[in-house]
Amino acid sequence: GYTRMYRTGDLVRYLPDGNIDFIGRNDDQVKIRGYRIELGEIEHALSKVPGIKQSVVIAKERHTDTGTTKYLVGYYVLDSETNTPSKEEDILGHITRELPEYMIPAAL
């Protein structure tokens, strides 16, 4: 009896019994510690750091005795022709000025 469907970014399918089965997302958003995070925003902040040519951020999972924890990992390619940031602290310092704490990768 519903007449309106909203686009949420979730990929779902109807099951034969009428229930909806969640398949995944059709964008790069991930949910970590209650926050919806667009990975492209973090990649953009990393690419603005002097000396970084390319970057990608992924969400990984760590399985522990108490459950599963998601965290962010950032990968980057340095530009060999410029004066590059040599320390992880320098890179994190740049992106901390642009991003909230919950969007800072746990590892680079």
Side-chain angles (χ1 to χ4, degrees):
Y2 296 103
T3 59
R4 186 174 296 184
M5 182 178 290
Y6 294 94
R7 296 184 65 111
T8 64
D10 292 335
L11 293 174
V12 299
R13 66 179 173 157
Y14 281 107
L15 297 174
D17 63 1
N19 286 318
I20 296 176
D21 182 29
F22 176 76
I23 299 170
R25 299 274 310 164
N26 66 354
D27 56 17
D28 289 332
Q29 274 190 0
V30 295
K31 190 170 186 179
I32 296 180
R33 296 183 304 277
Y35 294 101
R36 283 258 178 226
I37 298 172
E38 182 69 44
L39 298 178
E41 288 183 50
I42 304 168
E43 292 168 359
H44 179 70
L46 277 171
S47 69
K48 290 170 64 177
V49 174
I52 292 184
K53 183 168 50 172
Q54 290 180 311
S55 65
V56 67
V57 177
I58 61 171
K60 297 190 103 176
E61 291 185 352
R62 180 180 298 125
H63 300 284
T64 63
D65 294 337
T66 58
T68 303
T69 305
K70 287 185 180 180
Y71 62 99
L72 298 171
V73 178
Y75 296 91
Y76 58 91
V77 176
L78 294 174
D79 185 1
S80 61
E81 297 177 6
T82 62
N83 186 12
T84 59
S86 58
K87 296 181 182 175
E88 184 175 318
E89 298 87 33
D90 297 338
I91 297 169
L92 291 174
H94 280 281
I95 63 174
T96 301
R97 288 190 286 272
E98 293 206 22
L99 300 172
E101 184 205 344
Y102 64 87
M103 292 178 75
I104 304 298
L108 293 174

